[in-house]
Amino acid sequence: MTASLQLYGVKAPGLALSSKRLEFGSKGSSFSVTLPSSSAVFRAVEHSCRNIALRVSCEHVRVDLLERKEPETCNSSANGKELTCVMKFGGSSVESAERMKEVANLILSFPDERPVIVLSAMGKTTNKLLKAGEKAVTCGVTNVESIEELSFIKELHLRAAHELGVETTVIEKHLEGLHQLLKGISMMKELTLRTRDYLVSFGECMSTRLFSAYLNKIGHKARQYDAFEIGFITTDDFTNADILEATYPAVSKTLVGDWSKENAVPVVTGFLGKGWRSCAITTLGRGGSDLTATTIGKALGLREIQVWKDVDGVLTCDPNIYPGAQSVPYLTFDEAAELAYFGAQVLHPLSMRPARDGDIPVRVKNSYNPTAPGTVITRSRDMSKAVLTSIVLKRNVTMLDIASTRMLGQYGFLAKVFTTFEDLGISVDVVATSEVSISLTLDPAKLWGRELIQRVNELDNLVEELEKIAVVKLLQRRSIISLIGNVQKSSLILEKVFQVLRSNGVNVQMISQGASKVNISLIVNDEEAEQCVRALHSAFFETDS
Ligand SMILES: Nc1ncnc2c1ncn2[C@@H]1O[C@H](COP(=O)(O)OP(=O)(O)O)[C@@H](O)[C@H]1O
Ligand SMILES: N[C@@H](CC(=O)OP(=O)(O)O)C(=O)O
């Protein structure tokens, strides 16, 4: 049999290839390929070859050869009907068998859609897995059995299998694997980031297997996929990996290829990928299934990406801060990205990128209230009447006031400050500058993700370094309140903001109107922040003016 193979690969950014020519050979066939030297990602060369698939790694480049038996078609199927959209369901949407049944009904209630389904782990499984891992580090091998979270996860998934009426065998291997892994962690007495990612992957691997088995049971043909097996290729930044370009053709090839042979609904694990260098399972950061969904949307050029949550779309503020938050009907990709980046849990911070690149609308819907219109996110929208869209709060932020001691000129000062951040690998969030001083906040997600001791050392080093050229004030426990909206109307927004803050006796410690044109950020003390958000919400969204 002759199979047509497509070759693609990923070159590590910034690395020169030691060899421009790679040679492959296996089972009676061999061929070589010249690698483009400049591009970070290449996708090249079609070969006829007797082998079906082989994987080659060399020092600076990884190359996957994927089976392809037919010339690449666009998204079409045996019966000529293409996949139409992605439907992603978060943990809250699939927290029990009952919810999975409702989600299945929901999917079937759109007979004109031929969706790719992306699922997160059931309910709070990811948190429980992490907790179980932490306990395993200290509890001793003989006590792993009695880790409460392990029993909870086992019971949750086995009960779900029973209630869905599917064979428990679909998840038994994973439950056993999880148990073994926890024993391993407990023997090693350590939980590395790499192991954490492997550990949490069990959640999505099991939820998708259960759901796919259920769809098949009710007569709706489905096929389960582990994202890390179908070409989700990522950086090796365990717990916070980024999707690499090579993912798009690979994912498209597998999903479209399989669909064209048999119209089985693809059910894909959210959140997971495979490190391009390590080949180990990676995760895309908490809430990463949104990014899985938008990546598939772009890879397949689908009409729409739907993310189904437990709220009526993106809301005017976090409903946990103010339950009266209202749903926002329209957003641009830029607004949604800014909102997610500045802390709105509802969307993964990087999830808008593939949707924006592919210009694919994202619809945020409520699986508990499917008739609610939700939020539609597109490239542009009518901003003529838009003032403020949403208020976002990011807590526990560290702020630095850095005032030049005038040992350096203005240019030298700014350059030195930012070089210091670069050298120490610390990300900055919000910045406001004057000629001789800078106020800025440090990205808490990056900083607080690190071990406490490392964090404290890093801050000490940072201050020490900056004190060579400046007087530095380190201010902890601050909050960023981000006002997402039409910055063209900033005077109007700020007028109202300062009225509200003044009447609430709140002092703003820093203010920044970013280049994004959709965000004004205010820094206040942590303890005043929630009250501020509520007052601002009431002024902007609950009065007529
Ligand atoms: N501005 C906001 N709009 C909507 N939800 C928000 C907002 N800010 C915070 N949230 C929280 O985000 C949750 C939904 O996100 P998430 O838990 O990641 O959903 P899922 O797990 O279903 O993907 C909501 O239940 C809500 O509590
Ligand atoms: N299960 C992962 C990934 C995810 O996206 O979850 P959710 O869709 O429930 O936010 C997490 O908890 O982070």
Side-chain angles (χ1 to χ4, degrees):
M1 182 183 60
T2 300
S4 170
L5 298 174
Q6 188 189 42
L7 176 72
Y8 74 91
V10 189
K11 200 180 104 183
L15 280 178
L17 286 172
S18 53
S19 160
K20 293 265 165 57
R21 203 160 179 80
L22 294 180
E23 298 205 349
F24 309 111
S26 164
K27 292 187 193 150
S29 82
S30 70
F31 55 88
S32 63
V33 57
T34 305
L35 300 171
S37 54
S38 55
S39 63
V41 174
F42 60 89
R43 165 172 143 66
V45 192
E46 300 230 341
H47 275 280
S48 280
C49 170
R50 282 173 184 281
N51 310 314
I52 301 301
L54 64 156
R55 169 160 292 150
V56 189
S57 297
C58 72
E59 197 186 350
H60 294 321
V61 66
R62 203 189 94 200
V63 177
D64 286 338
L65 294 174
L66 299 174
E67 177 183 8
R68 213 184 105 218
K69 288 180 184 152
E70 299 141 28
E72 194 164 8
T73 52
C74 56
N75 175 15
S76 66
S77 78
N79 67 11
K81 292 194 170 168
E82 299 176 354
L83 290 159
T84 54
C85 69
V86 188
M87 291 184 175
K88 177 254 162 167
F89 295 90
S92 57
S93 297
V94 291
E95 66 188 11
S96 62
E98 192 194 339
R99 287 297 307 155
M100 283 196 180
K101 288 181 187 173
E102 279 169 33
V103 164
N105 284 338
L106 186 65
I107 295 167
L108 299 183
S109 73
F110 294 99
D112 293 338
E113 296 288 6
R114 286 171 299 284
V116 178
I117 308 298
V118 173
L119 293 192
S120 302
M122 292 180 73
K124 300 271 176 249
T125 299
T126 308
N127 289 351
K128 298 266 182 206
L129 285 165
L130 288 170
K131 194 82 202 152
E134 278 161 26
K135 286 190 179 171
V137 174
T138 52
C139 74
V141 186
T142 48
N143 295 322
V144 165
E145 198 88 39
S146 45
I147 293 177
E148 202 184 306
E149 286 75 12
L150 174 62
S151 313
F152 178 93
I153 290 165
K154 279 188 176 171
E155 211 220 296
L156 175 74
H157 289 84
L158 290 173
R159 184 164 17 101
H162 285 303
E163 289 174 13
L164 291 170
V166 303
E167 298 287 341
T168 51
T169 46
V170 297
I171 49 160
E172 268 164 7
K173 253 205 248 155
H174 283 84
L175 287 175
E176 181 50 30
L178 171 62
H179 198 151
Q180 293 306 327
L181 176 63
L182 289 170
K183 280 190 182 165
I185 293 169
S186 127
M187 280 178 206
M188 298 301 292
K189 295 188 172 42
E190 72 169 355
L191 181 56
T192 62
L193 295 183
R194 180 175 172 146
T195 308
R196 276 165 81 109
D197 276 356
Y198 180 38
L199 175 65
V200 292
S201 74
F202 283 87
E204 272 71 11
C205 286
M206 292 196 288
S207 65
T208 47
R209 279 170 172 78
L210 285 172
F211 190 70
S212 166
Y214 177 68
L215 285 181
N216 280 310
K217 193 206 117 184
I218 61 172
H220 203 71
K221 208 175 281 171
R223 181 168 173 175
Q224 189 276 346
Y225 293 92
D226 289 327
F228 48 86
E229 297 295 358
I230 61 166
F232 269 84
I233 301 166
T234 70
T235 59
D236 285 299
D237 301 311
F238 294 106
T239 72
N240 203 16
D242 199 1
I243 302 265
L244 294 174
E245 276 296 315
T247 297
Y248 297 103
V251 167
S252 163
K253 185 183 301 296
T254 308
L255 295 183
V256 175
D258 286 355
W259 174 259
S260 70
K261 282 176 232 147
E262 182 190 36
N263 289 173
V265 180
V267 180
V268 185
T269 56
F271 186 45
L272 310 176
K274 183 190 261 190
W276 77 275
R277 223 177 232 283
S278 63
C279 290
I281 293 176
T282 55
T283 62
L284 309 175
R286 296 305 303 268
S289 301
D290 295 338
L291 179 55
T292 308
T294 54
T295 301
I296 291 176
K298 179 185 163 191
L300 274 60
L302 299 178
R303 204 199 68 243
E304 183 171 277
I305 298 157
Q306 300 175 1
V307 285
W308 291 81
K309 309 256 166 191
D310 59 352
V311 277
D312 286 350
V314 176
L315 306 179
T316 44
C317 79
D318 183 343
N320 301 302
I321 297 177
Y322 182 64
Q326 304 146 20
S327 113
V328 177
Y330 302 103
L331 279 175
T332 63
F333 292 129
D334 289 343
E335 287 174 305
E338 203 78 1
L339 197 132
Y341 181 76
F342 279 94
Q345 190 203 330
V346 66
L347 289 170
H348 181 278
L350 299 181
S351 59
M352 287 303 113
R353 213 169 46 182
R356 181 171 35 199
D357 292 350
D359 202 7
I360 303 172
V362 176
R363 202 179 283 273
V364 185
K365 294 271 293 174
N366 189 351
S367 70
Y368 288 80
N369 183 19
T371 53
T375 301
V376 181
I377 309 170
T378 47
R379 181 177 296 280
S380 57
R381 68 183 182 104
D382 177 8
M383 295 298 276
S384 59
K385 295 208 181 75
V387 181
L388 203 65
T389 314
S390 190
I391 305 171
V392 185
L393 177 60
K394 203 173 198 173
R395 298 179 181 86
N396 205 2
V397 167
T398 299
M399 178 175 158
L400 285 178
D401 281 338
I402 308 162
S404 168
T405 45
R406 293 183 187 265
M407 289 169 70
L408 300 167
Q410 182 196 345
Y411 305 118
F413 174 64
L414 291 176
K416 175 71 183 142
V417 169
F418 285 104
T419 308
T420 308
F421 283 99
E422 191 186 357
D423 291 348
L424 296 174
I426 295 178
S427 299
V428 169
D429 247 356
V430 182
V431 185
T433 61
S434 77
E435 196 179 342
V436 289
S437 70
I438 307 180
S439 292
L440 47 79
T441 63
L442 308 181
D443 182 347
K446 296 267 164 55
L447 199 63
W448 297 109
R450 299 175 196 173
E451 298 284 338
L452 180 65
I453 182 83
Q454 190 191 349
R455 209 189 301 159
V456 170
N457 283 343
E458 277 183 77
L459 283 179
D460 283 350
N461 290 345
L462 177 67
V463 173
E464 204 174 294
E465 205 45 42
L466 290 170
E467 277 177 341
K468 292 178 185 162
I469 52 159
V471 176
V472 183
K473 252 201 272 173
L474 182 84
L475 307 156
Q476 311 253 31
R477 288 182 295 284
R478 299 298 188 267
S479 283
I480 305 174
I481 296 177
S482 296
L483 306 167
I484 313 292
N486 186 355
V487 174
Q488 302 297 329
K489 304 213 170 125
S490 60
S491 307
L492 186 69
I493 296 174
L494 288 172
E495 184 194 352
K496 218 173 208 182
V497 165
F498 284 109
Q499 267 172 19
V500 171
L501 297 180
R502 187 161 171 259
S503 59
N504 282 269
V506 174
N507 244 340
V508 175
Q509 303 179 15
M510 175 179 154
I511 180 162
S512 166
Q513 182 174 325
S516 74
K517 304 286 179 264
V518 296
N519 180 1
I520 299 172
S521 292
L522 315 168
I523 317 298
V524 299
N525 281 334
D526 254 350
E527 59 273 16
E528 293 169 324
E530 288 204 5
Q531 168 219 340
C532 269
V533 171
R534 282 192 284 270
L536 289 168
H537 191 278
S538 146
F540 279 98
F541 299 108
E542 292 157 57
T543 55
D544 295 335
S545 54

